[in-house]
Amino acid sequence: MNPPKTDARRHHDPTTRGFASDNYAGTHPEVLAALALANGGHQVAYGEDDYTAHLQQIIRSHFGPTAEAFPVFNGTGANVVALQAVTDRWGAVICAESAHINVDEGGAPERMGGLKLLTVPTPDGKLTPELIDRQAYGWDDEHRAMPQVVSITQSTELGTLYTPDEIRAICDHAHQHGMTVHLDGSRIANAAASLDVPMRTFTNAVGVDILSLGGTKNGAIFGEAVVVLNQDAVRHMKHLRKLSMQLASKMRFVSVQLEALFAKDLWLRNARHANEMAQRLAEGVRAVDGVEILHPVQANGVFARLPHEVAERLMKHYRFYFWDEAAGDVRWMCAFDTREEDVDGFVAALKEEMAR
C-alpha cells in the first residue's frame, strides 16, 4: 500500500543542528512509529483509552505500585498542575532562584497556579536543607504566604545533579516541617543516565511526593506527565488538570509517546547519548584558551564564559543562547540526535572565532 499523499512541504534543512536547546531536536523515529500504531479507529477520549491505561503499568514499573500518571501537554503545564495539587490557596513553594518555575515559565505558577514562589539563591542550582531554611518559616503568620512545598529540579537548570542522598535529606527536612516535595523532571532521564541508577532511586525511594516527568526534551513530539508518588499528598488531580487546560481529548497520542520512551530503554538510550555528546563538547571546549566552563558537566548541558563578540559571531553559524549576556555566559545543550561531527564542527568553529 502506497503512503498517503500530502500537500505539506518540508520548510527546513533537516541536516541543520545547533546547541540552543534539546527542544530544538525532532522526534525519535521509535516515537513516530508508536504514534502511527496508536492511530486509526476510535478510542475513548480524555484519558479513558487503552494507551493511557497501559501507561499506568509502565509508570508503576519505574516508580512503584502506588504511582499514578496524569499526561499533560507540556512541562509548564505539568509543573503548574503538580504544584497546585500540593498547595492551598494561601500556599507557597520554596525553590532555587534559578529554577525553571521561577525564571522560564512566564509567571505561570503564580499567575495561573495562584501560589507564591519563595526563591533562594544557589551557587550550583541545588537546594540544601540549610538553604531551604532561609524561606521555611512563618507558617502561622497570616501576613506571609505559607511554605507548603519544596520544589527541586533534576537535572538542574545549571546542568548539575542531586545525589539520591541529597534529595533524601531535602525530603526528610521538608517533611519534618510538614511540607511536600515536588521534583521537576523535565530532564530526569539525563539525571538517571548520568547517575547510572533507576529513576526511583532519587524519587519515590527517597521521599519525593510528586514529580513532573519529561518527554519532550528526550525524543517526544509533545507531552509530559504529572506523576503522583504519594497519594496522601495530593487532592483533585483530575479536576486540576482540566481546570489548568492540560486535559488532552485525544490523550492516547500523548500516552503512546511516553509508552514508547519508558516501556523499555529508549528514554535511557536517548539520555545517555545526549550526555555523552555534552561530555565530548566539554572536553573539546576545555582545550580552547580563553573559554571557561562554569559548572560541572553532569547531564546534557555545558555552561561556559567567553568573549561576548565571539559568542555573537559563533551564533551566526550555530544557534545557542546567552545565559547571562552581561557576563558573557552561554549555554550549549546536546540532544538525542546530536552527532559527534556536530560537536567537533562546533568546537572547530569556536577555536577559529577565538583565534580571530
Side-chain angles (χ1 to χ4, degrees), residues 27 29-40 51 220-222 252-254 256-257 260:
T27 304
E30 292 180 38
V31 176
L32 284 175
L35 281 163
L37 285 174
N39 198 27
Y51 295 91
I221 293 180
F222 63 90
R252 59 170 151 162
F253 297 110
V254 181
V256 76
Q257 292 182 74

Side-chain angles (χ1 to χ4, degrees), residues 106-304:
E110 295 187 320
R111 294 177 64 87
M112 304 301 294
L115 52 90
K116 172 68 175 174
L117 298 179
L118 303 174
T119 64
V120 182
T122 64
D124 55 3
K126 294 164 57 175
L127 290 176
T128 64
E130 294 74 22
L131 289 173
I132 290 168
D133 281 345
R134 295 186 182 181
Q135 293 285 10
Y137 64 90
W139 286 277
D140 293 325
D141 183 356
E142 66 266 36
H143 300 287
R144 187 172 194 267
M146 181 186 292
Q148 292 185 316
V149 183
V150 174
S151 180
I152 60 175
T153 313
Q154 178 80 321
S155 58
T156 74
E157 285 72 24
L158 301 182
T160 54
L161 297 180
Y162 290 93
T163 66
D165 285 343
E166 286 173 331
I167 296 180
R168 183 190 298 276
I170 288 171
C171 292
D172 289 347
H173 192 69
H175 293 157
Q176 288 170 8
H177 286 292
M179 297 186 291
T180 56
V181 177
H182 163 256
L183 187 143
D184 181 348
S186 64
R187 295 187 177 96
I188 191 173
N190 302 94
S194 183
L195 293 169
D196 196 24
V197 297
M199 291 181 287
R200 70 175 69 89
T201 304
F202 56 83
T203 55
N204 55 300
V206 294
V208 172
D209 298 291
I210 193 168
L211 70 90
S212 302
L213 179 67
T216 310
K217 290 179 172 64
N218 199 33
I221 293 180
F222 63 90
E224 323 280 304
V226 177
V227 180
V228 177
L229 303 174
N230 177 6
Q231 296 290 338
D232 294 331
V234 305
R235 291 167 295 175
H236 307 297
M237 269 296 306
K238 292 175 66 174
H239 299 280
L240 286 171
R241 180 172 57 177
K242 177 65 174 180
L243 180 68
S244 301
M245 298 172 285
Q246 288 291 320
L247 179 63
S249 56
K250 297 183 180 181
M251 196 181 296
R252 59 170 151 162
F253 297 110
V254 181
S255 298
V256 76
Q257 292 182 74
L258 298 175
E259 177 185 356
L261 285 172
F262 293 104
K264 294 184 179 178
D265 68 342
L266 180 58
W267 66 278
L268 191 56
R269 284 187 279 130
N270 286 352
R272 280 178 174 163
H273 178 79
N275 290 358
E276 288 168 1
M277 292 301 98
Q279 290 295 332
R280 186 182 186 93
L281 177 58
E283 183 179 348
V285 167
R286 288 191 183 98
V288 181
D289 289 338
V291 181
E292 177 189 2
I293 292 180
L294 300 174
H295 305 290
V297 180
Q298 297 178 321
N300 63 321
V302 178
F303 291 76

Side-chain angles (χ1 to χ4, degrees), residues 21-78:
S21 173
D22 34 15
N23 283 324
Y24 277 43
T27 304
H28 195 280
E30 292 180 38
V31 176
L32 284 175
L35 281 163
L37 285 174
N39 198 27
H42 288 202
Q43 279 275 285
V44 183
Y46 300 109
E48 299 299 321
D49 59 274
D50 295 337
Y51 295 91
T52 303
H54 184 62
L55 177 63
Q56 302 305 325
Q57 301 175 35
I58 296 168
I59 293 300
R60 288 170 188 143
S61 73
H62 287 288
F63 300 106
T66 64
E68 186 176 7
F70 295 84
V72 295
F73 289 114
N74 54 46
T76 297

Side-chain angles (χ1 to χ4, degrees), residues 9-29:
R9 294 181 297 165
R10 175 169 279 163
H11 298 285
H12 78 291
D13 179 358
T15 65
T16 298
R17 286 175 173 80
F19 296 89
S21 173
D22 34 15
N23 283 324
Y24 277 43
T27 304
H28 195 280

